[in-house]
Structure formats: structure tokens, C-alpha cells
Amino acid sequence: MATYDQTHRVCPLLFLTVIVGKGQGAAIAEMIKKAGAYSVYFVSGQGTAPNDMYAILGTGTLKKDVLCSVIRENAWFDLKIALQERFAISPLSKGLAFITRLDSVAGVSTYKMLSNTMDEEGRKKQKKRRKTHE
Amino acid sequence: MNKPYVAIVSIVNRGFTDLVMEAAKQAGARGGTVLTGRGSGNKEAEAFFGVTVTPEKEIVLILVEKALSDAVLMAINEGAGMKTKGMGIAFALPVDDLVGIGETVEETKESL
């Protein structure tokens, strides 16, 4: 029996971590979702540099929003540029983002969920059905 | 990405992130981000080895150049490893690409 990756085009997945100042997380999460991520995991963190250092450098607050998500590899380039532009707006919007390639996932359904292809396949099926009705 | 980077993840007992950061900074790291977490240690192993694993943990995320990663990991192991009060572990994850250090939008567009 043919496996999923033999019958479908499988796009590599990337684990994305974004660290931004407290309060910036919601906007970044929207950007990640626009890039096609299924979900964004959101946690609070703290920077380790001393407070006065932040005041001198003007690089934002000590409290951080840390966002984790999984995106498709082909979405990364556009998201990278969008993040760079966002981080360049002002010292307060500065942040850090990095990706790590995922080696494997636990099953086809997990892949479909993480890659957010479940909806796309559903949309394709809907289109086909509409065409046949017309 | 001009220089290769790694993300060093260090998990230590709550309240001992200073040990990690001091060690990492001595080895060349600049700063990090601390997240809180909770360990789910093996109760049987705790009974066998006679040690109590504190469930409250802190996770320190540090981005460093790949060339520095071995030195930073060794420093963290010395300063906040299993033989210290921090009882920490540390590992490095590969970073395939990075935003926020170095490269500008124009440079990224040119790299395509």
C-alpha cells in the first residue's frame, strides 16, 4: 500500500520560535497565522539582561512574549520578510525569531494539522463538488 | 543567515537561572530568555537514586553562534549542571534561519 508521502506532495515543516516584548505577541501571532500556521502557542518569558541595560539600549521591556508555532517551509520566506519589517518599526517592536526544521511527525493526521492542509484539501473537494453541480 | 547559530536550551531548577546565564555569558553568550515550566520526573528513579527532583523548572533559551556552542554548553554544565544546586541539563538545537540579528530586509530579498 502506498504511503501518504508517496501519493501526496509533502512540504517540510519548520518549528518557529519568536521572542518579542510583552504586548507584541498578539500581532505577531496574527502574522504567523496569516502565513498559514494552524496554531500558535503563546507563553510569557523574561529577558535575562539587567533592567538598566534595557533602558540604555532602548530594546524593549524585560518581560517577553514567546511564541511557538509550526509552519510550512514554503511560507517561511514571506514571513521572514514580514517579521524583519515589523522588528524594524521601532526599538519597542524589536524581536528575535528562528526556525528549526522538524525531522518527523506522529502520523498523517498530525502532519495535516500542523501543515494546515486539512482545510485546503477540504476547499479543493468543495470546488470539485461545485463544478460538478454547475 | 550570515553566521550559523544554535539555540541552547537549558532546563534548571527554579531560581537558578542566574547560574546558567553567568556561565553562558562567561563563555561568550550575550543574553537569554527565561520561561517557566514544571518537570515530570520519574518517581521510581527518584526513590532509587535517593534524590528529589524539584518539579518547578525554568527553561533558559540562549541563541549563540555555532562556534561558541560547545564552550557555552560546557560552561553551563560546569556552572549549573547536575552536580550543582541548579541540577540543570542543556542541549543545543540547530537554527536553520534567523530574524532579528544582522540581516536586513534588503539583504534577505537579495539572497533569494
Side-chain angles (χ1 to χ4, degrees):
Chain A
M1 203 176 117
T3 56
Y4 183 80
D5 57 338
Q6 287 169 335
T7 54
H8 293 74
R9 200 171 152 264
V10 176
C11 184
L13 298 176
L14 306 170
F15 186 80
L16 170 71
T17 310
V18 186
I19 302 164
V20 286
K22 187 95 184 157
Q24 301 284 321
I28 302 289
E30 276 304 307
M31 287 169 69
I32 298 170
K33 282 199 167 182
K34 261 190 186 174
Y38 178 78
S39 64
V40 182
Y41 178 65
F42 214 110
V43 283
S44 289
Q46 271 193 311
T48 57
N51 268 318
D52 52 344
M53 186 83 105
Y54 281 97
I56 294 163
L57 295 172
T59 50
T61 55
L62 188 67
K63 286 187 176 174
K64 302 281 175 191
D65 280 339
V66 181
L67 296 97
C68 302
S69 184
V70 175
I71 57 163
R72 279 177 283 173
E73 194 182 43
N74 55 19
W76 170 239
F77 188 77
D78 288 340
L79 180 60
K80 183 182 176 180
I81 288 173
L83 286 171
Q84 276 178 328
E85 284 170 348
R86 168 95 195 173
F87 293 163
I89 291 173
S90 81
L92 285 174
S93 68
K94 266 191 178 179
L96 203 64
F98 62 91
I99 49 161
T100 302
R101 194 180 283 258
L102 288 194
D103 187 58
S104 49
V105 293
V108 173
S109 53
T110 309
Y111 170 77
K112 282 183 176 178
M113 193 194 90
L114 291 175
S115 62
N116 208 4
T117 46
M118 201 93 96
D119 294 343
E120 279 180 22
E121 281 184 4
R123 266 183 245 133
K124 277 179 192 172
K125 280 180 186 171
Q126 260 189 349
K127 269 188 182 177
K128 269 188 184 176
R129 269 184 227 142
R130 273 180 204 159
K131 276 184 183 175
T132 49
H133 282 294
E134 282 167 6
Chain B
M1 190 169 66
N2 297 329
K3 290 176 189 166
Y5 277 81
V6 292
I8 291 178
V9 182
S10 180
I11 305 167
V12 288
N13 285 339
R14 194 168 189 166
F16 293 95
T17 52
D18 290 352
L19 293 182
V20 177
M21 281 319 300
E22 275 170 25
K25 278 181 180 172
Q26 275 177 7
R30 285 182 187 171
T33 305
V34 181
L35 312 172
T36 49
R38 194 169 182 279
S40 61
N42 187 343
K43 289 266 159 58
E44 285 169 20
E46 279 179 32
F48 183 77
F49 292 112
V51 291
T52 313
V53 178
T54 317
E56 287 86 16
K57 302 284 179 191
E58 281 179 321
I59 303 151
V60 188
L61 202 58
I62 307 164
L63 271 175
V64 291
E65 282 176 34
K66 200 177 179 185
L68 288 174
S69 74
D70 284 350
V72 173
L73 280 173
M74 281 173 72
I76 291 172
N77 194 37
E78 289 253 321
M82 292 301 282
K83 288 176 185 170
T84 67
K85 283 182 180 176
M87 287 191 77
I89 57 162
F91 51 89
L93 294 174
V95 170
D96 292 302
D97 206 355
L98 182 70
V99 181
I101 297 176
E103 218 174 53
T104 62
V105 180
E106 287 71 30
E107 283 167 348
T108 305
K109 283 178 180 170
E110 277 170 21
S111 71
L112 185 71

